[in-house]
Amino acid sequence: MYLVAHVDTSICSETACKLCTQFCPETNTILYDNDKKTAFVAVDRCKACEICVSICDTMAKHHAIKMIMITELENPFEMNKAGFNPAKWKELPETVVLEKVAK
Amino acid sequence: MSMDNLKISPALEKYMTKEYRDLVERGPYGKQKKVSEMGTFKEIIEEHPMCAGCAMTLFIRLTMIGLPNPEHTILVGTAGCGRLALSQTSIPFIYGNYGDTNAVASGLKRGLEMRFPEQPKDVVVMAGDGGLADIGFSTVLHSWFRKEKFTTIMLDNEVYGNTGGQESGMTERGAILKMAPKGKKYEKMDMLGLAKTANVPYIVRMTVTNPTRVASVVRKAVLIAREIGPTFIQAYTSCNIEYAIPTPKVIDDAKSLEAERYGFQEFISDEAKAFLESIEPKKAKATKSTED
């Protein structure tokens, strides 16, 4: 079980700052979808350094990125499976954050 | 390497990996990509084993965006952290012996000039502070005095991060490290001053706090190295392991150090400036020289 960065697409799509894509140390990990106008994370490449979280919170002030347990994500984007092909990103199932089981 | 070498032979296409096919179809070759386009194209570097949140990784990633012609570039490196990412690029990477990076690059550049007189080939040395300022010190300085036409990029993490935290010549005085428990006794080496003494036409000191600036500085350094002479970039790329910086604070650390003692400095000779203006009339105007 480990944490990965997760972009809240509803917040991100309202801005166009793209700062997280520029400050992420890993290549092709925070990707940008030009159609949906939002950043999103390739979870198999994320090393959970949280630089994007601090950039989004302090520099961009959008608070759109959170660290989240990998098991709480349904249909996360994986670069190994999907490959880098923006034209086919539309066909992929949408990533859903599973609701935590109520205590 | 050139564009022809990159293309996949149609008969072999189905055997190539997905990553390579993506790179040829949606990679940065043949067109200069901007930092603002990051995340929308396949980058030259693949997955690599560098630590999470490493500023050096970020700097190397931005350097690859800044290269004007990645398909005509050869990287030279040596032992150190940087090689872990540099060896995962789809650019020829020469892993020199410790200390001989700039000697290898000198010979390589001269050979390439003879072999490809029509096509400019860029040689870029990327190594750590230990590889360039300590062990490779003599070859670095000699390549500058000989006016060899290639770019030297120092990934200055101020420590031997790969071997357990020994002090290097570039470590700040008084810094306490695992293998320097009493603190370093000597001053940080003034590589910028040495570069100025050697009349290097383009010298830059910078951090990773401004991605666009990193890419544009690398681009300028490589272009100047084609025509004018050696260029040198000294970049602060903190080691979050040896200096115990929490990874979310890596950029904040770079910012505070930038304010304190690692501010952006750019020295450009008149000749180099005139050359930049001749190839990019608009852009060169924005370049502010901080030369005294």
Side-chain angles (χ1 to χ4, degrees):
Chain A
M1 222 77 71
Y2 52 94
L3 291 163
V4 289
H6 176 71
V7 183
D8 189 333
T9 48
S10 61
I11 304 175
C12 189
S13 56
E14 285 172 13
T15 68
C17 72
K18 299 186 189 176
L19 280 176
C20 54
T21 62
Q22 301 171 15
F23 277 96
C24 176
E26 299 301 314
T27 51
N28 288 140
T29 300
I30 302 190
L31 304 157
Y32 197 83
D33 192 333
N34 277 328
D35 297 329
K36 292 179 190 164
K37 301 256 179 278
T38 176
F40 62 102
V41 178
V43 290
D44 55 341
R45 290 193 169 205
C46 178
K47 290 180 183 171
C49 66
E50 293 185 44
I51 286 182
C52 55
V53 178
S54 79
I55 291 293
C56 197
D57 286 353
T58 61
M59 204 180 276
K61 297 198 171 57
H62 295 315
H63 308 283
I65 307 180
K66 298 270 179 299
M67 299 310 289
I68 195 164
M69 273 292 162
I70 184 82
T71 46
E72 284 171 25
L73 286 175
E74 204 176 67
N75 304 324
F77 181 84
E78 285 177 61
M79 186 61 92
N80 270 339
K81 287 183 189 163
F84 191 90
N85 195 346
K88 288 194 177 168
W89 286 345
K90 275 180 247 164
E91 298 161 21
L92 294 172
E94 204 141 309
T95 308
V96 188
V97 184
L98 298 174
E99 293 290 320
K100 276 183 194 167
V101 184
K103 278 175 191 168
Chain B
M1 193 147 83
S2 75
M3 292 300 279
D4 293 337
N5 289 4
L6 284 168
K7 281 176 196 152
I8 307 168
S9 161
L12 297 172
E13 200 155 1
K14 61 181 174 183
Y15 300 109
M16 293 304 285
T17 59
K18 187 163 54 197
E19 286 79 7
Y20 193 84
R21 269 182 279 143
D22 284 344
L23 190 65
V24 175
E25 285 163 28
R26 289 171 282 276
Y29 296 114
K31 43 203 177 266
Q32 176 84 47
K33 291 285 184 185
K34 290 184 207 135
V35 169
S36 57
E37 290 175 278
M38 283 164 92
T40 60
F41 63 93
K42 178 79 179 167
E43 286 169 52
I44 293 173
I45 311 178
E46 251 306 313
E47 282 183 294
H48 53 71
M50 285 181 81
C51 303
C54 180
M56 191 185 285
T57 321
L58 176 56
F59 186 83
I60 292 172
R61 182 179 176 218
L62 295 166
T63 305
M64 295 304 138
I65 311 281
L67 292 176
N69 289 92
E71 65 275 17
H72 294 297
T73 304
I74 294 181
L75 296 167
V76 183
T78 187
C81 296
R83 70 159 201 295
L84 296 169
L86 292 171
S87 54
Q88 306 305 319
T89 55
S90 69
I91 294 180
F93 170 65
I94 295 177
Y95 185 64
N97 287 322
Y98 227 157
D100 69 1
T101 46
N102 282 39
V104 169
S106 306
L108 191 63
K109 179 72 189 182
R110 292 186 192 190
L112 288 170
E113 268 180 2
M114 271 194 229
R115 173 67 181 79
F116 302 99
E118 307 292 315
Q119 174 64 49
K121 297 273 179 184
D122 306 318
V123 177
V124 178
V125 175
M126 271 179 107
D129 48 324
L132 294 179
D134 292 353
I135 305 165
F137 185 64
S138 65
T139 61
V140 171
L141 279 200
H142 275 280
S143 74
W144 288 346
F145 283 120
R146 289 198 306 269
K147 301 264 174 279
E148 301 287 354
K149 289 177 179 169
F150 61 85
T151 309
T152 308
I153 300 176
M154 182 197 278
L155 306 162
D156 179 15
N157 56 6
E158 306 191 322
V159 66
Y160 283 86
N162 221 235
T163 49
Q166 291 85 358
E167 66 175 49
S168 80
M170 298 297 283
T171 304
E172 190 73 356
R173 183 179 183 161
I176 293 168
L177 297 159
K178 278 183 205 145
M179 301 268 182
K182 288 185 174 178
K184 194 189 170 192
K185 286 178 184 168
Y186 316 103
E187 293 291 337
K188 184 182 171 90
M189 284 168 72
D190 182 14
M191 285 301 278
L192 296 174
L194 290 164
K196 273 179 235 171
T197 309
N199 281 327
V200 173
Y202 189 66
I203 310 161
V204 174
R205 181 179 76 178
M206 67 189 321
T207 64
V208 290
T209 51
N210 187 337
T212 315
R213 190 161 68 188
V214 175
S216 84
V217 160
V218 170
R219 181 180 157 76
K220 278 190 263 180
V222 172
L223 290 175
I224 290 170
R226 275 184 196 168
E227 291 292 325
I228 311 293
T231 52
F232 177 56
I233 300 170
Q234 181 188 318
Y236 174 69
T237 54
S238 62
C239 180
N240 55 352
I241 304 291
E242 295 302 334
Y243 280 90
I245 307 162
T247 50
K249 302 270 178 217
V250 163
I251 304 295
D252 295 341
D253 165 74
K255 268 187 188 164
S256 68
L257 218 72
E258 193 173 33
E260 200 182 311
R261 61 177 169 86
Y262 224 103
F264 179 72
Q265 277 187 0
E266 188 180 44
F267 301 94
I268 182 164
S269 74
D270 294 338
E271 197 188 355
K273 212 174 172 183
F275 169 70
L276 274 187
E277 272 167 20
S278 72
I279 52 168
E280 292 173 330
K282 268 185 194 170
K283 266 192 172 179
K285 266 180 198 168
T287 314
K288 276 177 202 158
S289 168
T290 48
E291 205 166 19
D292 298 328

